[in-house]
Amino acid sequence: MSGEEESDEDLVFRAGRGDRLAAAMLIDRHSSKVLALSVRMLGERAAAEDVSQETFMKLWEHASRWKPQGVSFQAWLYRVASNACLDRLRKRGRERPTDETPEIEDGAPSAFDGIAADDRRRTVEDAIAALPDRQRQAIALCHYQDLSNIEAAEIMETSVEALESLLARARRSLKVRLEPLRGELLEGVR
């Protein structure tokens, strides 16, 4: 069976026995999603890359002891990454770095359109960054990682009802914060 067909659980079992190829397959399979979640939660790529690296180091260190116990491997991995992000957010307080501009994809029709889209994205990211940590985590998991409420609640170790409450509060807060900019934000959206 090839690595692409092998389940995460089988790969974790192999990694727990010291199989570096299995660990590399897990990293390859999940690194972009862990990094995306971390960027959304932290708002800064360098810190997100550090968290991703820490997450996969924990995987390597704990693979031999990992047991599913009703939690999927992906949920466990997101929980590890989310907790690392929350730890970093607590340590640094509510500061938001301003010296790093997130990358924008090439292919924008013009430089002006790219700048305008970047400004809109940054405005939304700033509004999300202003949310309390748990609300930001819920938004990142459900809206950016495309996880179901059940999966996100599992990762956050809370009930589905509590997750839905976090999402509702976050959406209300974002609506209030972004309402004055609604026309500007929707400009250029096709």
Side-chain angles (χ1 to χ4, degrees):
M1 177 175 341
S2 77
E4 284 302 312
E5 297 168 357
E6 211 166 346
S7 73
D8 287 340
E9 289 74 15
D10 291 339
L11 290 172
V12 173
F13 178 74
R14 285 179 40 205
R17 293 184 309 184
D19 186 337
R20 291 179 184 269
L21 179 60
M25 285 188 226
L26 285 168
I27 292 168
D28 186 54
R29 191 178 285 177
H30 295 283
S31 62
S32 62
K33 290 179 181 180
V34 168
L35 180 62
L37 171 64
S38 301
V39 168
R40 290 285 176 207
M41 288 187 68
L42 297 173
E44 132 182 42
R45 187 167 182 91
E49 288 171 352
D50 290 344
V51 164
S52 294
Q53 193 170 29
E54 289 171 27
T55 299
F56 289 106
M57 286 301 297
K58 284 189 181 182
L59 164 63
W60 181 251
E61 293 167 4
H62 299 286
S64 64
R65 296 186 305 264
W66 186 80
K67 303 230 182 325
Q69 298 175 344
V71 178
S72 71
F73 170 76
Q74 181 173 306
W76 176 84
L77 197 63
Y78 281 168
R79 184 179 300 155
V80 171
S82 293
N83 288 341
C85 288
L86 291 172
D87 289 344
R88 280 184 181 255
L89 289 168
R90 281 186 212 105
K91 284 179 187 172
R92 76 175 186 203
R94 300 302 296 171
E95 294 175 19
R96 177 131 164 103
T98 57
D99 60 343
E100 185 174 327
T101 304
E103 298 171 15
I104 54 174
E105 286 187 34
D106 194 12
S110 71
F112 177 75
D113 289 341
I115 291 169
D118 193 43
D119 286 346
R120 285 190 299 273
R121 184 185 40 72
R122 234 176 304 155
T123 299
V124 172
E125 286 177 353
D126 288 345
I128 292 171
L131 292 172
D133 296 342
R134 298 276 290 168
Q135 289 179 21
R136 185 177 337 143
Q137 182 182 20
I139 290 287
L141 290 169
C142 292
H143 292 285
Y144 291 102
Q145 298 305 120
D146 292 324
L147 296 178
S148 71
N149 288 2
I150 294 169
E151 293 168 319
E154 185 178 285
I155 289 165
M156 293 179 69
E157 297 178 306
T158 191
S159 68
V160 173
E161 293 79 15
L163 173 85
E164 289 171 350
S165 177
L166 286 168
L167 287 170
R169 289 194 311 264
R171 289 175 186 136
R172 279 193 304 270
S173 179
L174 289 171
K175 182 178 180 181
V176 167
R177 187 175 296 273
L178 296 172
E179 184 62 36
L181 305 169
R182 185 170 192 225
E184 180 183 326
L185 289 172
L186 294 175
E187 186 177 298
V189 177
R190 300 175 220 294

